[in-house]
Amino acid sequence: MNEHYVLHVNGRDHEVTDAWLGESLLDVLRERLGLLAAKGACEQGECGSCSVLVDGDLVCSCLVLGAAAVGRAITTVEGLTERGTLTDVQRAYLEAGAVQCGFCTPGLIMATHDLLDRVPEPTEMEIREELAGNVCRCTGYGRIIDAVQQVAVARRTGAGPA
Amino acid sequence: MAVVVPMSLREAVDALAANPGALVLAGGTDAMVEINDGHRRVGHAGSPEVVVAVDRVAELRSWTLDPGGSRLTIGAGVTYTELMEEPLASFVPALAEASRTVGSPQIRNAGTLGGNLGTCSPAGDGLPVLSALDAEVHLAGATGTRTVSVHDFMVGVKQTVLAPGEIITAVTVPLLDGWQGYSKVGVRNAMVIATASACLAVDQPTRSVRIALGSVAPTIVRAPEAESFAAGHVDWGAGHVDPATAGEFGRLAAAAARPIDDHRSSAAYRRHAIDVMARRLLERAFRGADPT
Amino acid sequence: MSIVETPRVTRTEAPVRDGVIGRSPLRPDGIAKVDGSFQFSSDLHAEGAAWGATLRSPHPHARIVSIDVSKAWKIDGVDAVITAADVPGKATYGLIAHDQPVFASDVVRYVGEPVAAVAADHPETCRRALEAIDVVYDELEPLLDPEAAIAGTHPPIHPDGNVVRHQRIVRGDPDATGEVVVEGTYEIGMQDQAFLGLEAALAIPDSGGGGVELHIATQWLHEDRGQIAACLGLPEDQVRLVLGGVGGAFGAREDISLQVHTCLLALRLGKPVRMAYDRAESFLGHVHRHPATIWMRHHATADGEIVKIEARFVLDGGAYASTSSAVLLNAVTHTQGPYRCPNAVVDGWAVRTNHLPCGAMRGFGVVQACFAHESQMDRLAEACGRDPVEIRLRNVMRTGDPLITGQVVESVAPVERCIRETAALPLPDEPIGGRDADPMRLPGGAGRTADVGHVRRGIGWGVSIKNLMYSEGFDDYSTARCRLADGRVTLKFATAEVGQGFVTIAGQIARTILGVDDVDLARIDTGVGSAGSTSASRQTWMSGGAVDAACRQVRERLFEHVADLHGLDPLQLEIDGTDVVDTLGDLRVPVAAATAGQVFDETVEYRHRPTVDLDENGQGDCHVAFAFVAHRAVVDVDPELGLVKVVQIATAQDVGRALNPLSVIGQIEGGIAQGLGLAVMEEIVQVDGRIRNANFTDYLLPTMLDMPPVVATLVEEPDPQAPLGAKGVGEPPCISSTPAIVAAIRDALRDDAGRARPLVRVPVRPQDIALSGTASPDG
């Protein structure tokens, strides 16, 4: 029942061994590859904590079958900081007070990068709609929206995050 | 035990022919919930031995407009995100509206129209639109292909006419000339399963009004009495509907619903919601009716 | 969102360093949280660890006839199967009464009660092992009606009986009456804390055998340790707890969940064991907010001055006691809200049923009381022909006023200021649907259920009082250790950081008191004395007080050292920026230089003033201190479909002193989101004792599209009782935001005669608004 396959995560091939084939990509990332940034909180695609990019599309990794992601380019939060520095989105979350317990944060960071790559200057309503799939139980979202707006402004003006 | 990832429809059909009991995995937004929940144990006794993941089958990911421009065929693997984008959104506006109510961007990036049909939940957001448009569903299997009406395709709660080894390949809908829209009640302003939903589609040339209802019966239902009443009472020339007609249309639509009480809502509220949504949809359709 | 802050006096003339009190420095755990490397308890691994899992009762009430685990043992990969017979120590645990079994042995009392646990090589193996355990149950009639528990008409479902606590309060003249009388019966549904980081733990047995180290996301390490050690039959020093990263708490981590089970399995196997709940199990595995039915009758003068309040509270505590008795105390003692009330007759019961156990959740009994008293204030306003703000100002409590318990509110009570400052905040300037008439702004959102003309706007108010810290004579303290060496401070405490940001504030305190910039935080574990629980809005006051006191003691040692070297009196030294200075001379020494080669190390326990139990009439100084807040909600409602969109929440909160304004705003917005959830969507639905929505598809949390912008004013009147002048800020935001939102919905639903709809139950469901007759109006 267990098989061996290779996943392409954050620009590198990772061998997956001894995985039960029913494991979600989230489980494979966390339990097989030791990439713990993506979090599981609902396993139903309802919270967004496990958000990753698969071939450039933002998806819930809990709803992707790990073994079916062979040959896809997968990006997790770990892949954002491979050069050892935080991204503008990560810095803005930190500085805007968008982080409390932090459990939703990696998923939101991925979703925010995805949003700002597609829509560089989102309105507040666009931010709310686009990030509605990322549930945060601590912050009430106000500082998160602020962080997203700070990044959008900084990118437009060419400044670093405020 | 295996996970098969076909790249073409041919490979997918072959894989299913070889493993008629296989689990077909499209966007995963329904099937993976069950797998995670342990309901459907891949690789264990009583569970499918094979998963055929069809999300990379190129033929399923495309759409085509027929030469006359009157019928649109949408591949089963087209995602909700793609249905919200142009030009598909203009071709079938109600489908774009319905897609926008599906989960979150993450879900819409993964979930597909074919998956919505395959799951066949009464709450599936794409289904009332397909029903209102009298869509045709294209199936393929080892013995060939067939096309069934969406009304026949849906048999009951999570039950379809799909035979073992068969796969949904595409859906064909007519491009109607007239207003169409989708409306959905849930307890939250986003990320919510329909408590009740409705799709209304108008076809000006045939002076027909169609309305399909979601989450108020074991599968999607149409409200034929409401439809014929509306067709006979709206002012087609002026594009107007009077309040009494809209009100009666709502009542007739609600009468077609067969809702239940459950932990999400009550039968009484669901019926009431259909009444209100149907009325408002008709008023939207005929208040500022599309001048084309 | 805009934040309106009160003007803040600049406290020092020198440029303010970034990391001190009053600033909002970055969280010390922030980088790890944004780059994904922060280790939550579910991220913990250990070489060779087995997985544990729990078998739970499928019945709300049943006798266990037999448990056969033999088939589970035969499954490949199964390492251990344990039941009640394998618990070496105390068979039960609990926060106040030890009434909850580690594993049910004779009777199960709720759906989800643990019956056995297994350890195996993979979670999937665990699942199969659980399925292989054969438990024969003999079902018993469940007790599901709290009134039957009070009436004594159902046989006891627990040896401790069906009533956990009855508390009566009689104040003043019980026969007093008023010209205006309003009454109502209010219902509050069962809310879940729904933290995102699910229960998870890693237990590592000592290599020499005997003890165990448990890495756990909890709110109170030492309380856990005491309960765990008792059940394991070990002395407390053989059980060491380390705080695993906590993904939110909100009360749900105050009780034992998987702690004892994980340790039992690890000790049994002699190797590490991980346990982790999934979302469905989490709903069964922790306590919830008490569902409540509250009747209140307010007597007032014709112009709306409260004369007397009568009330009856019934809290459904579920199968085990947890903190029900303390939750009930909070509920009944907050009957009056932040208003003067000379006469009162209050009866409250917390009872046992075969529902899910209930205990701590943010607001702790006061949420329930507040929904009732604020609904009553609006009824009173209507009956007296006054508006909601007027009626509240007419009755507003002030510093020095007595409560219905006879306790005098010595805490600064700026209730009037909270109301007036809230009223002064701008209302939303956008019309219904916004200037762009975006359907996403309307009730129903993307569902496009409404057009602008279908929607009405309402405004509602909620004001609350909340006790801070533990009550009724509890020996409530916190411990902190401060070590200063070579210009670097190391702080050690057992305060559970659950996301609220105590770790940030601790550093700010040390930087302010000791004039150092480099503060290290030692691991949070039981290697230092108890900090008490991260709950009851208490850690800024209590652990902040402990860190403050420890730092001050170290500063005294530092001053003695410097004074000694320079022949000065230590009393003339002070910290200025990062220097030690002589206030009477020229000496100025950087703290780093003054502490070179020196080590100052002090550990301090901080206690708040003592409290007492209530007497038989509910009189006594049972609470320590209070905080206040006002909320004004603007809500757009689609009356026909019963859908709502909260447009704005305005709030002015009594914070004492904002040690970290950004963190305070985070608590305010986050608490309001939870209050909004209770108001319009969050409820655990149980039918015949079985939960029907134990997942995030059906237990709905507010999303970014549900939560409105918040405009806030921080009311800063430092509380002289508080060690840093700061009151706890965590709970008030979620207390009166709920009634404010419901009041706004009622306001939007006024009929042509201006009468509001009763809406006596939260969460308000679409059918309660849309279908007349389902909201069970009364009185």
Side-chain angles (χ1 to χ4, degrees):
Chain A
M1 88 181 196
N2 295 327
E3 292 207 4
H4 172 100
Y5 56 91
V6 175
L7 289 183
H8 194 68
V9 186
N10 299 331
R12 278 197 294 277
D13 284 340
H14 293 258
E15 308 259 330
V16 180
T17 54
D18 282 338
W20 172 57
L21 276 171
E23 286 177 12
S24 65
L25 176 60
L26 174 65
D27 282 345
V28 174
L29 290 171
R30 291 178 52 81
E31 297 297 331
R32 308 298 162 195
L33 305 184
L35 294 168
L36 295 164
K39 304 297 176 202
C42 75
E43 306 206 33
Q44 295 188 314
E46 292 284 344
C47 75
S49 307
C50 65
S51 299
V52 302
L53 294 174
V54 175
D55 282 349
D57 289 330
L58 186 75
V59 296
C60 291
S61 60
C62 73
L63 299 183
V64 175
L65 190 65
V70 172
R72 303 280 206 189
I74 297 156
T75 308
T76 69
V77 167
E78 286 97 338
L80 300 177
T81 48
E82 298 230 306
R83 287 166 297 137
T85 52
L86 299 181
T87 65
D88 54 356
V89 172
Q90 288 170 315
R91 287 193 57 78
Y93 268 67
L94 193 51
E95 291 169 4
V99 178
Q100 287 188 31
C101 91
F103 204 84
C104 68
T105 307
L108 269 158
I109 298 272
M110 295 306 292
T112 302
H113 271 290
D114 175 63
L115 166 61
L116 294 175
D117 286 350
R118 289 182 293 113
V119 188
E121 292 182 48
T123 64
E124 184 186 324
M125 283 309 289
E126 283 173 324
I127 294 170
R128 289 180 182 274
E129 182 174 6
E130 293 286 339
L131 300 184
N134 291 80
V135 170
C136 171
R137 189 56 159 167
C138 296
T139 66
Y141 305 109
R143 304 306 91 214
I144 292 172
I145 293 167
D146 190 41
V148 178
Q149 289 171 331
Q150 282 186 24
V151 176
V153 168
R155 286 187 184 182
R156 186 182 66 230
T157 60
Chain B
M1 170 62 208
V3 175
V4 183
V5 186
M7 296 293 171
S8 69
L9 186 55
R10 172 91 257 156
E11 287 175 25
V13 169
D14 287 350
L16 284 168
N19 308 279
L23 169 68
V24 178
L25 187 68
T29 56
D30 292 324
M32 283 303 295
V33 173
E34 293 191 28
I35 289 173
N36 290 336
D37 206 23
H39 289 167
R40 197 181 246 170
R41 301 283 189 78
V42 178
H44 286 103
S47 70
E49 284 299 302
V50 176
V51 172
V52 178
V54 297
D55 57 338
R56 271 177 275 187
V57 173
E59 295 95 320
L60 303 184
R61 301 295 306 257
S62 61
W63 55 269
T64 54
L65 203 56
D66 76 357
S70 65
R71 293 171 70 75
L72 175 70
T73 298
I74 304 166
V78 171
T79 63
Y80 298 110
T81 298
E82 291 161 342
L83 291 169
M84 289 165 63
E85 292 167 353
E86 294 300 341
L88 291 180
S90 291
F91 289 147
V92 197
L95 200 49
E97 284 185 11
S99 297
R100 193 176 174 190
T101 74
V102 176
S104 58
Q106 288 92 323
I107 300 301
R108 299 194 286 268
N109 284 340
T112 65
L113 194 57
N116 210 216
L117 278 164
T119 298
C120 199
S121 159
D125 286 305
L127 305 183
V129 182
L130 299 183
S131 174
L133 299 180
D134 295 322
E136 291 173 335
V137 183
H138 306 288
L139 312 176
T143 57
T145 62
R146 61 178 176 139
T147 296
V148 297
S149 153
V150 70
H151 309 299
D152 298 331
F153 177 84
M154 301 182 291
V155 173
V157 178
K158 301 197 174 182
Q159 287 181 307
T160 71
V161 297
L162 267 179
E166 225 173 10
I167 182 176
I168 304 163
T169 58
V171 175
T172 297
V173 294
L175 301 191
L176 300 187
D177 178 3
W179 190 91
Q180 56 182 242
Y182 180 75
S183 192
K184 163 180 167 180
V185 168
V187 178
R188 223 171 21 184
N189 286 300
M191 293 279 291
V192 72
I193 289 181
T195 300
S197 63
C199 175
L200 185 135
V202 175
D203 191 38
Q204 290 280 351
T206 60
R207 295 201 162 186
S208 67
V209 174
R210 300 104 173 270
I211 184 157
L213 315 176
S215 284
V216 290
T219 182
I220 309 302
V221 291
R222 289 276 287 269
E225 283 187 51
E227 293 178 2
S228 54
F229 173 81
H233 287 79
V234 301
D235 183 340
W236 288 98
H240 277 306
V241 62
D242 61 67
T245 299
E248 181 61 14
F249 177 73
R251 282 187 287 278
L252 290 170
R258 302 194 304 279
I260 56 165
D261 287 320
D262 65 12
H263 58 282
R264 289 181 187 144
S265 191
S266 67
Y269 175 76
R270 287 186 161 108
R271 194 183 297 280
H272 169 79
I274 292 293
D275 184 340
V276 176
M277 282 192 290
R279 166 165 44 84
R280 291 180 179 178
L281 283 167
L282 192 67
E283 285 175 340
R284 262 180 220 169
F286 285 94
R287 184 175 42 201
D290 190 337
T292 61
Chain C
M1 135 122 194
S2 58
I3 304 166
V4 184
E5 292 180 22
T6 52
R8 193 164 290 119
V9 177
T10 308
R11 294 190 179 87
T12 60
E13 288 171 20
V16 179
R17 284 143 63 222
D18 236 4
V20 298
I21 286 174
R23 309 285 290 184
S24 300
L26 302 183
R27 298 179 63 98
D29 56 9
I31 289 175
K33 284 180 173 177
V34 298
D35 76 10
S37 62
F38 184 81
Q39 285 207 313
F40 291 92
S41 56
S42 51
D43 297 329
L44 299 171
H45 287 71
E47 195 64 38
W51 283 93
T54 315
L55 181 70
R56 295 177 180 276
S57 165
H59 303 297
H61 195 200
R63 191 171 313 287
I64 296 174
V65 177
S66 63
I67 304 176
D68 179 359
V69 301
S70 59
K71 277 180 272 179
W73 274 111
K74 290 178 187 141
I75 294 171
D76 264 0
V78 171
D79 290 332
V81 185
I82 58 173
T83 64
D86 300 295
V87 179
K90 198 170 166 60
T92 56
Y93 55 74
L95 267 170
I96 297 176
H98 294 186
D99 68 337
Q100 182 158 4
V102 175
F103 295 111
S105 57
D106 53 348
V107 176
V108 289
R109 298 187 177 88
Y110 70 97
V111 170
E113 177 159 7
V115 174
V118 300
D121 57 356
H122 189 281
E124 182 57 26
T125 315
C126 289
R127 279 185 188 175
R128 286 188 286 149
L130 295 180
E131 284 170 7
I133 297 174
D134 190 13
V135 185
V136 177
Y137 295 97
D138 180 11
E139 285 192 64
L140 301 169
E141 180 68 26
L143 169 54
L144 300 174
D145 176 9
E147 292 293 348
I150 295 169
T153 53
H154 194 285
I157 60 169
H158 189 281
D160 293 353
N162 292 343
V163 173
V164 176
R165 179 172 183 174
H166 169 233
Q167 180 64 52
R168 185 170 173 79
I169 298 175
V170 181
R171 173 82 182 159
D173 174 10
D175 299 320
T177 56
E179 293 159 80
V180 178
V181 178
V182 292
E183 69 177 289
T185 301
Y186 304 93
E187 279 181 48
I188 293 88
M190 183 186 282
Q191 188 178 18
D192 188 55
Q193 299 85 350
F195 46 53
L196 285 193
L198 292 157
E199 289 91 345
L202 170 67
I204 305 169
D206 292 350
S207 55
V212 63
E213 182 170 285
L214 180 68
H215 297 252
I216 176 75
T218 179
Q219 292 175 233
W220 190 355
L221 290 162
H222 287 76
E223 173 63 28
D224 278 10
R225 180 174 71 169
Q227 293 184 53
I228 296 165
C231 295
L232 299 179
L234 291 174
E236 287 199 3
D237 61 7
Q238 296 219 42
V239 179
R240 298 180 311 282
L241 266 65
V242 181
L243 188 71
V246 185
F250 317 117
R253 299 188 205 270
E254 206 164 48
D255 290 71
I256 295 291
S257 56
L258 43 57
Q259 287 90 327
V260 181
H261 301 153
T262 314
C263 291
L264 280 171
L265 289 167
L267 288 166
R268 170 63 63 99
L269 295 184
K271 67 177 180 183
V273 171
R274 291 169 72 190
M275 283 188 96
Y277 290 173
D278 64 14
R279 184 56 60 183
E281 188 168 21
S282 179
F283 275 98
L284 303 173
H286 63 245
V287 299
H288 310 284
R289 188 186 301 292
H290 288 73
T293 302
I294 303 169
W295 169 81
M296 278 192 190
R297 180 153 65 200
H298 281 56
H299 298 253
T301 61
D303 68 343
E305 183 179 333
I306 296 170
V307 173
K308 184 178 73 170
I309 303 176
E310 299 165 274
R312 180 177 185 270
F313 289 75
V314 179
L315 271 54
D316 184 349
Y320 294 102
S322 181
T323 48
S324 284
S325 59
V327 172
L328 179 74
L329 172 88
N330 263 19
V332 295
T333 56
H334 288 73
T335 298
Q336 73 203 89
Y339 311 110
R340 292 187 310 270
C341 172
N343 308 296
V345 182
V346 180
D347 269 299
W349 282 268
V351 300
R352 195 187 300 275
T353 67
N354 294 113
H355 284 131
L356 294 169
C358 290
M361 182 174 174
R362 197 175 194 172
F364 204 77
V366 183
V367 164
Q368 293 90 328
C370 183
F371 177 62
H373 70 62
E374 286 306 273
S375 299
Q376 283 287 101
M377 291 307 285
D378 286 341
R379 286 190 179 190
L380 191 57
E382 282 204 28
C384 297
R386 288 173 171 261
D387 79 25
V389 173
E390 270 184 292
I391 199 79
R392 287 169 170 84
L393 289 174
R394 180 80 182 77
N395 289 285
V396 78
M397 180 183 287
R398 299 177 200 285
T399 308
D401 279 341
L403 300 173
I404 59 172
T405 55
Q407 176 165 7
V408 171
V409 176
E410 289 170 10
S411 299
V412 176
V415 186
E416 179 173 353
R417 192 170 157 201
C418 288
I419 295 172
R420 292 195 187 281
E421 299 238 15
T422 301
L425 288 166
L427 285 161
D429 57 359
E430 299 231 325
I432 291 171
R435 292 194 185 83
D436 50 358
D438 182 346
M440 297 306 285
R441 293 180 187 273
L442 295 171
R448 285 177 188 263
T449 47
D451 298 306
V452 171
H454 299 128
V455 178
R456 294 161 67 173
R457 178 165 288 179
I459 297 177
W461 280 83
V463 189
S464 56
I465 172 175
K466 173 67 182 59
N467 65 316
L468 307 174
M469 282 81 70
Y470 280 7
S471 303
E472 282 198 304
F474 190 82
D475 179 22
D476 194 6
Y477 69 97
S478 180
T479 315
R481 176 179 173 187
C482 175
R483 184 176 189 274
L484 173 60
D486 297 318
R488 239 187 140 76
V489 169
T490 304
L491 298 175
K492 173 93 178 173
F493 43 76
T495 310
E497 170 59 45
V498 302
Q500 83 279 29
F502 181 74
V503 289
T504 316
I505 285 179
Q508 291 177 254
I509 294 168
R511 287 186 204 99
T512 306
I513 305 287
L514 291 169
V516 292
D517 286 326
D518 295 323
V519 179
D520 297 319
L521 302 179
R523 190 174 77 166
I524 298 171
D525 58 29
T526 48
V528 64
S530 175
S533 178
T534 296
S535 64
S537 299
R538 64 181 287 288
Q539 289 296 21
T540 295
W541 186 308
M542 297 300 297
S543 287
V547 167
D548 178 63
C551 289
R552 285 175 191 277
Q553 280 205 7
V554 162
R555 190 174 64 181
E556 275 184 44
R557 299 292 91 74
L558 167 65
F559 287 167
E560 286 162 11
H561 169 72
V562 172
D564 208 32
L565 278 181
H566 298 276
L568 301 168
D569 180 348
L571 292 176
Q572 68 195 69
L573 298 179
E574 68 174 34
I575 298 286
D576 179 39
T578 55
D579 298 331
V580 179
V581 295
D582 176 5
T583 53
L584 304 177
D586 297 333
L587 180 73
R588 175 174 284 273
V589 194
V591 173
T595 58
Q598 300 293 317
V599 177
F600 308 97
D601 194 335
E602 298 290 336
T603 300
V604 173
E605 276 182 8
Y606 172 83
R607 277 179 168 72
H608 62 64
R609 65 176 191 170
T611 57
V612 301
D613 285 346
L614 292 184
D615 66 19
E616 67 278 9
N617 284 320
Q619 300 296 297
D621 292 354
C622 66
H623 296 309
V624 182
F626 302 90
F628 304 87
V629 66
H631 292 101
R632 182 192 67 202
V634 178
V635 181
D636 286 349
V637 182
D638 176 348
E640 267 195 299
L641 283 174
L643 302 182
V644 299
K645 172 90 173 171
V646 183
V647 176
Q648 184 207 56
I649 303 287
T651 181
Q653 184 167 329
D654 157 38
V655 302
R657 180 182 177 203
L659 304 186
N660 182 319
L662 195 57
S663 287
V664 172
I665 292 294
Q667 288 297 306
I668 288 174
E669 291 178 324
I672 288 170
Q674 293 183 4
L676 183 153
L678 178 62
V680 296
M681 64 181 78
E682 291 186 36
E683 182 176 15
I684 291 177
V685 178
Q686 292 178 95
V687 177
D688 298 330
R690 289 175 171 80
I691 180 168
R692 300 295 301 273
N693 58 342
N695 58 66
F696 279 175
T697 302
D698 285 315
Y699 185 90
L700 299 180
L701 302 171
T703 71
M704 220 177 263
L705 273 170
D706 300 291
M707 179 64 190
V710 171
V711 287
T713 297
L714 308 184
V715 174
E716 292 194 82
E717 294 185 15
D719 191 321
Q721 290 186 81
L724 298 154
K727 294 183 177 183
V729 298
E731 290 175 289
C734 82
I735 293 172
S736 39
S737 49
T738 302
I741 289 166
V742 177
I745 297 172
R746 293 185 192 117
D747 184 47
L749 296 175
R750 281 180 198 283
D751 62 18
D752 293 341
R755 286 186 298 263
R757 288 279 293 282
L759 297 180
V760 293
R761 169 184 203 287
V762 283
V764 178
R765 299 160 297 194
Q767 59 265 36
D768 297 334
I769 297 171
L771 304 183
S772 56
T774 58
S776 58
D778 62 275

